Amino acid sequence: MTQTDRPNVVYIMADQMAAPLLHMYNKDSVIKTPNLDRLAEQAVVFDSAYCNSPLCAPSRFTMCTGQLPSKIGGYDNGADFSSSIPTYAHYLRLEGYHTALAGKMHFVGPDQLHGFEERLTPDIYPGDFGWSVDWNRPDIRLDWYHSMASVMEAGPIARTNQLDFDEEVIYKSSQWLYDHARKRRDQPFALTMSLTHPHDPYEMTKDFWDMYEGVDIPMPATAAIPHDQQDPHSQRVLKCIDLWEREMPEDKIRDARRAYFAACTYVDHNIGKLMKVLENCGFSDNTIIVFSGDHGDMLGERGLWYKMAWFEMSARVPLLVHAPGRYQARRIRESVSTMDLMPTFVEMVGSKLVHDLEVDGVSLMPYITDNGGPKPDTVLGEYMGEGTICPVVMIRRGRWKFVYAPTDPIQLYDLGADPLELNNLATGYSNHLAKAATSSKPSVLAPYMTHAFKPPTPPRTPSQHPNSSYHLSNDLTVKGVIDAFLEETAARWDFETITEQVKKSQRIRRLIHAALSEGHVHQWEYVTPDDPTKKYVRNHGKGDLGNVEDVARLPYPGKVR
């Protein structure tokens, strides 16, 4: 594939956008997303896509690297993202792509590029260790945790930090595309544009808020569960967000959901703007559009808010791949994850992963092209952020979702029969994990297992096995399914070792953050270069006025693109 034949890639991310609420997944949705809907009509749409950690930074680290959080130390929103871990930006840059990042990526640590040639904006959230969780003091509610102010203060507003940020993101992204068209048109590009909406606070400008005037804003499908009847992890999350033993007024729940819907429409509006820029630049026909997000938002379902849980509203994300000239539109029912995007981007541009470097994700190209290759229907997840006292892991396969934490009762949901996750089929079952090595009976999951691995971190995603069509047998009893998942969990995760690794990382980061907060503080936040002497019309270094004006025009004078 030559440079001129290679497709451009635009990866658009929304923050905290719950897939089950969107019209592209729910035809009864009242959320207005006409641009996304048009893309979806011509796209490969994944109906069961998940994040691999329901929290901003760990989810994004995993998405960028194709590796699970415990493998790369991406435990929480204050965890260091090491420069030594390859990302999709490194691979695409090696292939000759002009790579750029605009918007939120929640990189933590002194490296704020991670392979991107350019970063067009700073991040909206801190890049230091200040948001580290403390498992040694689980009952302490840290001052940066979510609160319920976002719900109680929900409504229309003139301006917010988030609006300032996303307006800069869309402007800088558009300008970058115009500049690429002017100066580097013969080079393929890969632009990642990451918006911070519809992430809380639940506030939006009046023009978008008014689009939902008179609209019957649906309340949560699952009413708030009494706090003493919530599962232990949900109880910890309720305490974490300062909702324990409190109830939200119905009118504020409705306001928060209306503002969230309006924020989704704002995201869609900006996607429409970017599509127009691509058209103006002549890039539309040779650009693959990928749209997804980092996690969802409970938005009052079960009485929970924000993310931090493995329930569908928190863990499911939108995912589509739009390139009608390359890929036939279709819906994919199998479960996939954003961890799969890194190897997908690499294969999408005609490259290959370095064979001896670990990657947990599996390329989605067999789904996208409908050709041969692994189609595992499997998602692995790990959560170690706020509201946890140990790793909380998830396996999604077929119709099943299995959630395990050493301190909590296990959870098993049949999402085919119980999409709202109201019936925990594992109630009353022991969460004891037998050592995988001592098991004498053949595993019903054996075709999925990779045996050449070293604890404490999981092996490669089980779909690497050639028998990619394997599924849990439909004739298994519930107990058989639970036993199979327990066996797989024991084989994949050494919880004691991971817990010690997490606690050690937390202690190190607290020490470093405290030390670096003393005296003169050097921020790790990215500072975008901006040289006004090289912009617009200048008397030095820009050439004669006519030439300056000509080279800034699109299309170039005398040429019709």
Side-chain angles (χ1 to χ4, degrees), residues 227-265:
H227 292 181
D228 61 352
Q229 297 176 28
Q230 296 267 16
D231 65 272
H233 177 68
S234 295
Q235 291 178 344
R236 291 190 294 269
V237 170
L238 288 166
K239 293 174 182 177
C240 174
I241 64 176
D242 200 24
L243 187 52
W244 184 250
E245 297 182 342
R246 296 174 58 193
E247 293 183 5
M248 289 294 100
E250 183 174 321
D251 62 323
K252 297 315 299 181
I253 295 174
R254 196 178 303 277
D255 283 349
R257 290 172 70 91
R258 177 174 174 176
Y260 181 91
F261 293 2
C264 290
T265 302

Side-chain angles (χ1 to χ4, degrees), residues 328-374:
Q328 183 178 350
R330 60 172 58 86
R331 309 288 296 210
I332 306 300
R333 65 174 180 79
E334 291 91 345
S335 293
V336 302
S337 75
T338 52
M339 183 169 70
D340 300 328
L341 286 175
M342 185 270 206
T344 301
F345 286 138
V346 174
E347 186 175 352
M348 187 178 278
V349 302
S351 186
K352 294 182 179 180
L353 297 169
V354 176
H355 74 278
D356 58 346
L357 297 182
E358 286 192 355
V359 174
D360 297 312
V362 179
S363 173
L364 300 176
M365 292 306 291
Y367 292 117
I368 294 169
T369 62
D370 200 25
N371 292 329

Side-chain angles (χ1 to χ4, degrees), residues 1-9 91-97 186-189 286-288 326 348-351:
M1 194 182 295
T2 67
Q3 290 290 75
T4 53
D5 292 334
R6 288 187 165 179
N8 304 311
V9 179
Y91 275 97
L92 269 58
R93 193 170 172 181
L94 275 173
E95 290 299 314
Y97 274 73
D186 292 335
Q187 180 182 10
F189 67 81
N286 193 38
T287 298
I288 300 171
R326 293 175 179 269
M348 187 178 278
V349 302
S351 186

Side-chain angles (χ1 to χ4, degrees), residues 160-366:
T160 63
N161 271 329
Q162 284 71 19
L163 285 164
D164 287 347
F165 185 78
D166 278 349
E167 290 299 307
E168 180 179 4
V169 170
I170 187 65
Y171 169 74
K172 291 289 182 66
S173 298
S174 300
Q175 195 63 42
W176 185 87
L177 287 169
Y178 286 131
D179 287 343
H180 182 91
R182 289 164 172 152
K183 303 171 184 177
R184 300 171 72 165
R185 175 171 288 276
D186 292 335
Q187 180 182 10
F189 67 81
L191 171 65
T192 296
M193 186 185 82
S194 181
L195 301 168
T196 193
H197 284 91
H199 192 291
D200 59 286
Y202 304 120
E203 298 167 330
M204 184 40 60
T205 54
K206 193 171 185 300
D207 51 343
F208 288 98
W209 172 269
D210 286 350
M211 292 176 70
Y212 291 87
E213 183 67 32
V215 174
D216 185 11
I217 304 297
M219 295 295 279
T222 303
I225 297 172
H227 292 181
D228 61 352
Q229 297 176 28
Q230 296 267 16
D231 65 272
H233 177 68
S234 295
Q235 291 178 344
R236 291 190 294 269
V237 170
L238 288 166
K239 293 174 182 177
C240 174
I241 64 176
D242 200 24
L243 187 52
W244 184 250
E245 297 182 342
R246 296 174 58 193
E247 293 183 5
M248 289 294 100
E250 183 174 321
D251 62 323
K252 297 315 299 181
I253 295 174
R254 196 178 303 277
D255 283 349
R257 290 172 70 91
R258 177 174 174 176
Y260 181 91
F261 293 2
C264 290
T265 302
Y266 172 77
V267 169
D268 183 82
H269 175 71
N270 282 307
I271 291 172
K273 282 185 177 180
L274 197 72
M275 296 303 101
K276 186 62 177 177
V277 174
L278 290 169
E279 179 184 340
N280 290 342
C281 292
F283 292 145
S284 296
D285 292 341
N286 193 38
T287 298
I288 300 171
I289 306 296
V290 180
F291 175 73
S292 191
D294 56 353
H295 49 72
D297 190 324
M298 291 301 294
L299 214 64
E301 295 289 342
R302 310 173 71 95
L304 298 173
W305 291 85
Y306 315 122
K307 52 267 188 172
M308 301 174 279
W310 285 118
F311 295 115
E312 291 289 278
M313 283 283 288
S314 171
R316 260 190 66 200
V317 296
L319 179 58
L320 65 78
V321 177
H322 177 272
R326 293 175 179 269
Y327 312 131
Q328 183 178 350
R330 60 172 58 86
R331 309 288 296 210
I332 306 300
R333 65 174 180 79
E334 291 91 345
S335 293
V336 302
S337 75
T338 52
M339 183 169 70
D340 300 328
L341 286 175
M342 185 270 206
T344 301
F345 286 138
V346 174
E347 186 175 352
M348 187 178 278
V349 302
S351 186
K352 294 182 179 180
L353 297 169
V354 176
H355 74 278
D356 58 346
L357 297 182
E358 286 192 355
V359 174
D360 297 312
V362 179
S363 173
L364 300 176
M365 292 306 291

Side-chain angles (χ1 to χ4, degrees), residues 272-553:
K273 282 185 177 180
L274 197 72
M275 296 303 101
K276 186 62 177 177
V277 174
L278 290 169
E279 179 184 340
N280 290 342
C281 292
F283 292 145
S284 296
D285 292 341
N286 193 38
T287 298
I288 300 171
I289 306 296
V290 180
F291 175 73
S292 191
D294 56 353
H295 49 72
D297 190 324
M298 291 301 294
L299 214 64
E301 295 289 342
R302 310 173 71 95
L304 298 173
W305 291 85
Y306 315 122
K307 52 267 188 172
M308 301 174 279
W310 285 118
F311 295 115
E312 291 289 278
M313 283 283 288
S314 171
R316 260 190 66 200
V317 296
L319 179 58
L320 65 78
V321 177
H322 177 272
R326 293 175 179 269
Y327 312 131
Q328 183 178 350
R330 60 172 58 86
R331 309 288 296 210
I332 306 300
R333 65 174 180 79
E334 291 91 345
S335 293
V336 302
S337 75
T338 52
M339 183 169 70
D340 300 328
L341 286 175
M342 185 270 206
T344 301
F345 286 138
V346 174
E347 186 175 352
M348 187 178 278
V349 302
S351 186
K352 294 182 179 180
L353 297 169
V354 176
H355 74 278
D356 58 346
L357 297 182
E358 286 192 355
V359 174
D360 297 312
V362 179
S363 173
L364 300 176
M365 292 306 291
Y367 292 117
I368 294 169
T369 62
D370 200 25
N371 292 329
K375 296 180 179 180
D377 191 19
T378 295
V379 175
L380 303 177
E382 302 175 343
Y383 180 56
M384 292 159 281
E386 49 261 47
T388 62
I389 55 177
C390 65
V392 182
V393 302
M394 184 273 289
I395 304 173
R396 176 79 171 92
R397 182 177 296 129
R399 60 197 235 223
W400 306 106
K401 180 192 287 182
F402 178 80
V403 179
Y404 181 89
T407 58
D408 301 341
I410 55 179
Q411 298 177 62
L412 177 70
Y413 298 100
D414 180 351
L415 294 182
D418 179 25
L420 296 180
E421 299 164 291
L422 299 176
N423 182 22
N424 178 12
L425 299 174
T427 299
Y429 282 85
S430 170
N431 74 342
H432 176 68
L433 290 183
K435 295 295 183 183
T438 64
S439 177
S440 58
K441 63 182 179 62
S443 171
V444 296
L445 296 171
Y448 271 116
M449 299 303 295
T450 302
H451 295 287
F453 67 93
K454 298 178 181 179
T457 53
R460 288 183 172 227
T461 302
S463 59
Q464 301 295 334
H465 193 280
N467 184 7
S468 58
S469 63
Y470 178 83
H471 295 279
L472 282 168
S473 172
N474 289 328
D475 60 5
L476 279 178
T477 63
V478 167
K479 183 179 185 304
V481 172
I482 293 172
D483 288 344
F485 277 125
L486 284 172
E487 180 182 347
E488 179 175 1
T489 300
R492 289 188 171 281
W493 289 282
D494 181 336
F495 289 91
E496 290 184 6
T497 304
I498 296 175
T499 298
E500 286 307 309
Q501 291 175 337
V502 173
K503 287 184 175 180
K504 182 178 180 180
S505 170
Q506 292 172 353
R507 291 194 298 271
I508 291 171
R509 287 182 276 136
R510 287 198 301 272
L511 183 152
I512 292 174
H513 181 68
L516 296 184
S517 299
E518 297 294 325
H520 182 71
V521 177
H522 296 271
Q523 301 282 358
W524 286 340
E525 273 63 42
Y526 186 72
V527 178
T528 52
D530 187 14
D531 186 353
T533 69
K534 298 179 180 178
K535 298 168 67 174
Y536 311 123
V537 178
R538 300 292 181 264
N539 284 325
H540 299 282
K542 295 282 286 186
D544 65 79
L545 179 60
N547 182 64
V548 170
E549 298 291 11
D550 282 350
V551 298
R553 289 180 179 139

